[in-house]
Amino acid sequence: MTDWILRGGEVIDGSGRARFRADIAIAGERIAAVGVVGKVQGAREIDVSGKIVAPGFVDVHTHDDRALFANPEMAAKASQGVTTVVTGNCGISLAPLTIDHAPPPPLDLIGDAADYRYGRFADYLAALDRSPAAINAACLVGHSTLRVGAMSGLDRPAEQDELTRMQERLQEALDAGAVGLSTGLAYAPAEHAPPAEIEALAALLRPARALYTTHMRNEGAGVLDSLDESFAVGQAAGVPVVISHHKTIGRDNFGRTAETLPVIAAAVARQQVGLDAYPYIASSTVLSAGQAERASKVLVTWSKSAPEQAGRELSAIAADWGVSVKEAVDRLQPAGAIYWTMDEPDVQRVLRFEHTMIGSDGLPHDFHPHPRLWGTFPRVLGHYCRELGLFGLEEAVRKMTGLPTARFGLTGRGTVAAGAYADITVFDPATVIDCATFDKPTTPATGIEHVFVNGRPVWAEGKPTGDRPGRALRRQQMAAEIR
Ligand SMILES: [Zn+2]
């Protein structure tokens, strides 16, 4: 029973192979046919001639754990053609954790104390089942979240009984369907965790066929050591590693992705390694004096103690207040910021690298967010692919679809083929472009025309349809679908 026919588009199927002209028939949650499709009584038709029909994009690096509930239409992502988000990156996940005090930064990026209310990962996934979002989610467990829940103090390695508690909670999460473990070793809650602690947790991943993603300890002068540390975890545990938002930050490290990418390529030759990146020279996270020092410019994205300063430059705030930048940082806490810390040639080199997936790292609860939240995928397609010619459109789509679904084990997605889930994005290759800027960061992109999730439209005519067909994707269920 065909529900939809997408007629006359150019299919880019996510594998990297050249586009081809075909009609698409959608029946229920799946793609029923790719090829010449005749008229079908009762099916709705959309003329997509001149448009690209691609698999829905996978945002492999998100902090959408709570956004899936708070903004269930997920317009920031659906407007970009994203049909699946990977949550729980950088060591911070909403579950499994309950707390009765303010969560320490950066856990406060995704929620307040009251939001951390899922003592078991199964409870979080069940809540997603009960209150589905427009798009799918594959969920990581955050190491910092485990630490906050299991340790009496974070300024030291975990003791044996604490490690045991963390292992028990991680195992529960993996049993419930988590796709892997993330770390954020650059952040205060995790920076005192030694490699042995990470390896003891990562050891649980292999039997579960889950993976390890890491916001590394150091993305500046020590980036090569941090890559070695990340690969060593993968080797010790026998699991795939994903290097999160790969970059080399600070003026002294401009150009050094020319060193790191060959090191990553060498690692890929001996073990399973992947990486993700966002297409901007500015990063964004919690506000800290240390990060501000390394940046050429800092924009405040939110502040609990001075909310009216969100969207302003840190130096201007300090000048207004007649205080040092460091003092201004202290007065704004808790707060978030955007940091200009990268060099454009590095961003382009990483994006071009064949193993690089696209991940927005968008922060959905920031008052004045980094434009990557609304702009990442159309920016890669429109700016880096069409305008700069960094790579072809087939390669751009592969980085957003076939590559990440293989890496994260999202069976039946990331391709346009009969039998696959009908997660589909239709876009205009001539006009697709990001419109979110650092001044107007929540402006939706243009050129994303139709987005289907599990066979149902979630974005059309420049707005959400209101339907919420997204699913919490469980690792075991996806593994069982491998035929
Ligand atoms: Zn991160």
Side-chain angles (χ1 to χ4, degrees):
M1 173 58 197
T2 301
D3 298 302
W4 293 92
I5 297 170
L6 308 181
R7 191 165 301 286
E10 297 284 321
V11 175
I12 293 184
D13 73 358
S15 67
R17 76 168 160 142
R19 69 194 75 181
F20 55 95
R21 190 177 172 135
D23 306 327
I24 308 291
I26 298 170
E29 64 183 17
R30 306 266 182 172
I31 295 173
V34 178
V36 177
V37 176
K39 278 235 175 279
V40 177
Q41 188 78 33
R44 283 161 288 184
E45 290 215 11
I46 304 175
D47 175 6
V48 294
S49 51
K51 307 298 191 303
I52 300 295
V53 179
F57 306 147
V58 179
D59 188 347
V60 296
H61 192 105
T62 86
H63 298 289
D64 289 335
D65 303 48
R66 183 166 68 86
L68 292 161
F69 301 114
N71 318 309
E73 293 181 334
M74 292 297 287
K77 297 299 167 70
S79 63
Q80 300 183 59
V82 170
T83 56
T84 299
V85 291
V86 177
T87 65
N89 277 283
C90 301
I92 56 173
S93 58
L94 209 53
L97 179 64
T98 56
I99 41 174
D100 54 8
H101 53 86
L107 274 72
D108 56 353
L109 288 175
I110 58 172
D112 295 325
D115 300 312
Y116 284 92
R117 56 174 176 230
Y118 307 100
R120 300 181 322 145
F121 210 79
D123 299 337
Y124 172 74
L125 293 178
L128 273 179
D129 291 342
R130 279 195 306 274
S131 177
I135 64 179
N136 305 308
C139 306
L140 298 163
V141 185
H143 167 240
S144 293
T145 294
L146 294 174
R147 284 195 125 225
V148 170
M151 296 176 65
S152 56
L154 300 170
D155 56 347
R156 54 175 175 77
E159 286 168 11
Q160 187 52 51
D161 60 322
E162 293 167 333
L163 187 55
T164 301
R165 269 203 295 281
M166 290 161 69
Q167 286 174 319
E168 285 166 1
R169 287 177 191 167
L170 175 58
Q171 189 62 54
E172 183 277 325
L174 293 168
D175 291 345
V179 296
L181 171 72
S182 78
T183 56
L185 299 174
Y187 291 114
E191 67 181 346
H192 298 286
E197 178 183 319
I198 311 303
E199 286 170 17
L201 292 167
L204 303 183
L205 300 174
R206 185 182 168 87
R209 297 164 88 184
L211 54 63
Y212 173 63
T213 76
T214 181
H215 174 156
M216 300 192 299
R217 219 174 271 285
N218 192 302
E219 295 176 316
V223 66
L224 292 175
D225 288 342
S226 284
L227 283 172
D228 283 346
E229 178 183 5
S230 308
F231 302 149
V233 170
Q235 285 201 305
V239 296
V241 178
V242 172
I243 307 298
S244 294
H245 44 56
H246 182 54
K247 56 186 171 296
T248 54
I249 59 173
R251 182 161 292 281
D252 293 345
N253 301 298
F254 284 3
R256 291 193 63 203
T257 58
E259 292 171 55
T260 61
L261 294 179
V263 168
I264 294 173
V268 169
R270 62 167 193 266
Q271 66 187 100
Q272 289 198 62
V273 172
L275 70 161
D276 60 70
Y278 50 79
Y280 297 87
I281 57 166
S283 62
S284 185
T285 182
V286 286
L287 177 63
S288 78
Q291 296 232 52
E293 247 169 53
R294 288 198 295 263
S296 60
K297 179 174 145 184
V298 180
L299 197 66
V300 173
T301 52
W302 59 276
S303 163
K304 281 228 163 129
S305 36
E308 72 285 356
Q309 302 299 335
R312 296 193 67 213
E313 270 192 54
L314 179 61
S315 57
I317 297 169
D320 278 4
W321 289 351
V323 300
S324 68
V325 163
K326 195 169 178 321
E327 173 68 26
V329 167
D330 287 344
R331 288 199 197 175
L332 288 160
Q333 294 297 331
I338 296 168
Y339 304 94
W340 274 260
T341 49
M342 285 172 260
D343 200 25
E344 179 67 25
D346 284 313
V347 171
Q348 295 189 16
R349 194 178 291 119
V350 173
L351 288 174
R352 245 189 347 250
F353 187 54
E354 65 173 306
H355 305 294
T356 303
M357 303 178 282
I358 307 302
S360 72
D361 202 7
L363 295 170
H365 310 294
D366 284 13
F367 183 80
H368 186 97
H370 188 304
R372 66 193 184 186
L373 175 65
W374 285 80
T376 288
F377 290 80
R379 182 169 172 80
V380 170
L381 296 170
H383 180 59
Y384 285 105
C385 177
R386 184 181 63 239
E387 293 177 353
L388 299 190
L390 224 53
F391 31 65
L393 200 51
E394 285 80 354
E395 174 66 0
V397 169
R398 185 186 71 90
K399 288 172 172 295
M400 303 171 176
T401 59
L403 186 61
T405 53
R407 175 60 63 205
F408 284 85
L410 310 183
T411 310
R413 303 182 195 271
T415 183
V416 178
Y421 286 98
D423 289 355
I424 294 173
T425 289
V426 177
F427 65 93
D428 185 338
T431 63
V432 65
I433 194 77
D434 58 306
C435 300
T437 64
F438 289 97
D439 287 334
K440 292 199 161 57
T442 62
T443 314
T446 56
I448 303 291
E449 307 213 336
H450 301 276
V451 182
F452 287 79
V453 172
N454 297 313
R456 287 152 59 180
V458 299
W459 183 264
E461 292 168 0
K463 55 182 193 296
T465 63
D467 201 2
R468 289 159 55 179
R471 294 190 189 145
L473 304 177
R474 267 92 164 168
R475 188 186 38 73
Q476 298 86 336
Q477 284 174 7
M478 293 188 286
E481 287 194 48
I482 296 171
R483 279 170 280 203

